[in-house]
Amino acid sequence: MTATTATNGMKGDGSNGAIVQVSDFLEAGPVNRVALDLAAAIQRFGGDSKIISGGGSMVAEAERAQVEHETISISSANPIGNPGGKIAAKLSEWNTRLVHSHGEDAAGHVLKAVGKHHVPHVVSLYDLPVQRSGKPTPGLRNALKGDRVLLASQFLQDLLAEAGYLDGVHASVVPPGLAVNALHPSVVTAARLTRMVRDMEITAQSPVILFPAALQEGAGHEIVIEALKEHSDRSWVCLFIGLGQAERRYHYRLTQRLEAEGLENRIKIYEGTEDPATLYKLTDIVISTVNGNLAFDYACAESQAAGKIVLGANSGSTEFQVDPGVTGALFDAGDAETLSMALGWAMTMEPDKRAELENNAMLHAFKTYKRDETARQIFDIYDELLA
C-alpha cells in the first residue's frame, strides 16, 4: 500500500478482522508516529485498524483518524497488571488478523498474547540492544521471535548479525518514515523565517551551526564547544537545541561555562523548537551526533530532508547515513579535533559545492526516508503474511 493505493490485503469492510499496532506509548515522536501512520492508512483505505499503547498526546489524533485505541500499560519501566493477558483479550475481541509490535517491550507482551492462537506477528526494532553479561536481554530474544523483524538501519542489522542474534530470524531493514515534505525549505514562509531570526537574535552575516541533542550529561556539548573555539576568528553562531527532557542542573552548568568562555552570544541554548522546518532553513550546518553509536540517526535524516550538510560521528548508523564528501562529513566519535576539521571544511566550502551537497542530501532523504516508502515496504510484508 502507498498513500494513494491500497493492496488487496488491506482493503475490506473490517469483517475479516483487525490489524493491530502495539507501542509502548503514543507520544509525539518518530517511533510512535510510524505506528499511528500505519494504522491511519489502513483505516483510510477501508481496513479495520486498532492501536494498543500506554496512551499519550497522539491518542486524540488516532481517534480523529477513526482508529480505535486501547490504553494498556506496556512499558517495562512501569507495567501495570497483566499486559499480556489484556492484549490477548483485545486481540481476540477484535478478531485480529495481524499484529505489529513497535519495540522490545511491546513485542514481549504480544508474544505472550499470541501464544495460544497464532496470529502473524511483525516486530519493529528502533534501538540498540541492551546486553547483560554479554548476552542479549530476554526482551530482545522475544522480539526476534516475530514472524518478520524490521530493523531501523543497516548498522543495527549488521550489529545483530555479527553477534549471531539473527540466525534463523527473518529480518530486513526498514528505516522509520519521516514527513520529508514538511521539512522541505519551500514550506517555510518569509514571515516564519524572519520571526525566528528575530527571536534568536541571529545576524544575517553569521553562518548558523545546529547541534540538536538532549541537554544531558554525555550528549557532547563540551566537545562541540572545544571544536568551535578553534574557529573563533570566523563569523558563526551555534544553536544547542534540546531534545526530550532537559536536565536542569546540566543546562545551568552549560550556561555557566558559555558565560565563563565569553561565548554566550555565539552559542545559544534552547530547550526545543515547535518549528523544525524553519529552524533547518535557518541553519547552514548540522552536527547530528557527537558520540554516535545510534541505531538510527533521526537528526541526520531530518537534516538531509531539509537539504542540509551533516557532520556526524563515524560510528553507529550515522556512518551509514552520511556519505563523506557527498552529503556531509564524518569525524571521530567524541573527538573535538576532527570535529573542528569537519567544521572548517563545511564553513569554507564554495557556494556551488555547498549547493551540490545540499541537493544530494535532500535527494537521499526523499529516496530513503519518505513515509510513503516505509509504509509500502511494511504493507508488502503484511500482504505476504496474510496471503
Side-chain angles (χ1 to χ4, degrees):
M1 178 193 290
T2 69
T4 57
T5 306
T7 59
N8 289 335
M10 299 299 108
K11 291 180 178 178
D13 60 4
S15 60
N16 291 327
I19 294 176
V20 181
Q21 310 293 324
V22 183
S23 185
D24 291 5
F25 299 100
L26 214 56
E27 295 289 1
V31 172
N32 296 326
R33 170 59 62 183
V34 173
L36 179 55
D37 284 349
L38 292 172
I42 294 168
Q43 196 72 22
R44 186 165 61 249
F45 288 106
D48 185 6
S49 183
K50 316 287 187 185
I51 298 180
I52 295 173
S53 81
S57 59
M58 293 199 299
V59 171
E61 188 175 343
E63 293 172 347
R64 286 195 296 272
Q66 298 183 325
V67 176
E68 182 177 347
H69 175 271
E70 180 71 18
T71 301
I72 297 176
S73 177
I74 292 171
S75 172
S76 61
N78 188 32
I80 299 175
N82 176 18
K86 294 177 182 178
I87 292 172
K90 296 307 295 186
L91 297 183
S92 177
E93 176 186 332
W94 290 332
N95 188 28
T96 300
R97 303 170 61 203
L98 180 147
V99 59
H100 187 164
S101 301
H102 298 266
E104 286 186 18
D105 290 343
H109 293 308
V110 170
L111 184 67
K112 296 176 183 178
V114 301
K116 293 183 179 179
H117 50 285
H118 182 70
V119 173
H121 184 199
V122 178
V123 177
S124 285
L125 296 179
Y126 306 93
D127 300 311
L128 291 180
V130 177
Q131 294 190 356
R132 295 174 185 164
S133 303
K135 297 181 179 180
T137 61
L140 176 61
R141 288 197 294 268
N142 286 334
L144 296 177
K145 293 177 182 177
D147 295 298
R148 296 291 186 275
V149 177
L150 314 184
L151 304 171
S153 67
Q154 186 63 51
F155 164 70
L156 183 56
Q157 184 179 56
D158 291 351
L159 182 70
L160 294 174
E162 289 170 6
Y165 298 163
L166 297 185
D167 295 345
V169 176
H170 201 308
S172 56
V173 175
V174 179
L178 300 177
V180 293
N181 291 326
L183 294 168
H184 194 279
S186 64
V187 306
V188 179
T189 64
R192 286 165 61 183
L193 189 63
T194 301
R195 182 166 56 250
M196 183 169 285
V197 169
R198 183 187 64 239
D199 292 346
M200 292 186 169
E201 299 179 346
I202 296 171
T203 62
Q205 294 76 26
S206 299
V208 177
I209 301 163
L210 175 64
F211 180 45
L215 293 172
Q216 298 177 1
E217 202 75 50
H221 297 91
E222 295 83 358
I223 295 168
V224 175
I225 292 170
E226 290 302 314
L228 286 170
K229 284 166 61 178
E230 297 299 314
H231 300 282
S232 58
D233 58 331
R234 291 193 172 104
S235 174
W236 51 262
V237 63
C238 182
L239 306 177
F240 287 170
I241 304 296
L243 302 177
Q245 188 66 36
E247 290 182 357
R248 295 298 178 186
R249 291 184 180 180
Y250 178 75
H251 189 169
Y252 175 76
R253 291 198 304 271
L254 194 58
T255 301
Q256 293 293 103
R257 176 175 178 183
L258 294 177
E259 292 176 355
E261 300 265 10
L263 295 171
E264 68 274 16
N265 293 323
R266 303 194 72 181
I267 301 178
K268 303 172 183 289
I269 306 174
Y270 299 92
E271 292 196 3
T273 179
E274 295 181 354
D275 190 356
T278 301
L279 179 62
Y280 281 122
K281 183 161 186 175
L282 178 65
T283 298
D284 297 285
I285 303 164
V286 179
I287 303 170
S288 69
T289 175
V290 167
N291 298 317
N293 206 33
L294 301 172
F296 183 79
D297 191 340
Y298 290 95
C300 174
E302 287 188 350
S303 302
Q304 290 173 336
K308 298 303 168 183
I309 293 173
V310 177
L311 311 180
N314 61 352
S315 69
S317 183
T318 309
E319 190 170 8
F320 289 78
Q321 293 176 239
V322 175
D323 190 351
V326 178
T327 60
L330 296 170
F331 56 88
D332 294 338
D335 182 65
E337 182 179 355
T338 52
L339 172 55
S340 176
M341 293 171 61
L343 283 165
W345 169 78
M347 286 192 282
T348 58
M349 190 177 298
E350 292 295 328
D352 287 350
K353 185 63 175 178
R354 177 178 298 280
E356 178 187 336
L357 265 67
E358 291 174 343
N359 186 60
N360 290 342
M362 193 177 299
L363 290 174
H364 172 71
F366 272 67
K367 178 181 177 182
T368 311
Y369 307 126
K370 285 187 71 173
R371 282 180 177 170
D372 285 358
E373 177 59 19
T374 294
R376 184 195 65 76
Q377 294 181 62
I378 293 175
F379 289 140
D380 283 350
I381 292 170
Y382 288 4
D383 284 344
E384 178 187 344
L385 291 171
L386 292 170

